[in-house]
Amino acid sequence: MVIDNDYHRCQSCFRRQCPKVKLTVHHIIPRAEGGSEDLDNLITLCLDCHDAIEELHLRTREEIHGYFSKEKKAARELVEKQHPAELEDVLARIDAERPDWHSRVYGGQK
């Protein structure tokens, strides 16, 4: 339901779900810190943004929406302009920058 409400797009970089972009439901306030399962505490993120947001300990929807690296800003602009050929190049760079520990956490996928 959360992913449907977010139109199958990461709410940080706005990439759409596809074979190369995996989405996950993220607890803005983690359950370990008392976060709930309410929709206002859940947000759709791609695995790249999820990793970065976890590392940075971002705890508000505004911080999450505002988190963009230079590459993610470019990807968002390209998504909005619908230039899929250029978008793939930007997304490939983002994927190449994913932390090494990502492969251990997500079952060997980098």
Side-chain angles (χ1 to χ4, degrees), residues 15 19 34 40 52 54 58 68 85 100 110:
R15 292 188 294 169
D40 60 342
E54 284 292 321
L58 302 182
F68 294 107
D100 291 336
K110 182 172 179 188

Side-chain angles (χ1 to χ4, degrees), residues 4-47:
D4 290 336
N5 287 347
D6 289 335
Y7 302 102
H8 296 265
R9 286 192 185 271
C10 173
Q11 297 301 294
S12 182
C13 69
F14 297 100
R15 292 188 294 169
R16 194 173 224 356
Q17 181 174 331
C18 68
K20 290 184 178 182
V21 177
K22 305 294 184 208
L23 298 178
T24 186
V25 176
H26 172 71
H27 290 79
I28 297 169
I29 304 298
R31 289 177 286 192
E33 295 176 17
S36 70
E37 296 288 328
D38 295 335
L39 287 178
D40 60 342
N41 190 48
L42 301 173
I43 191 167
T44 303
L45 296 175
C46 68
L47 297 181

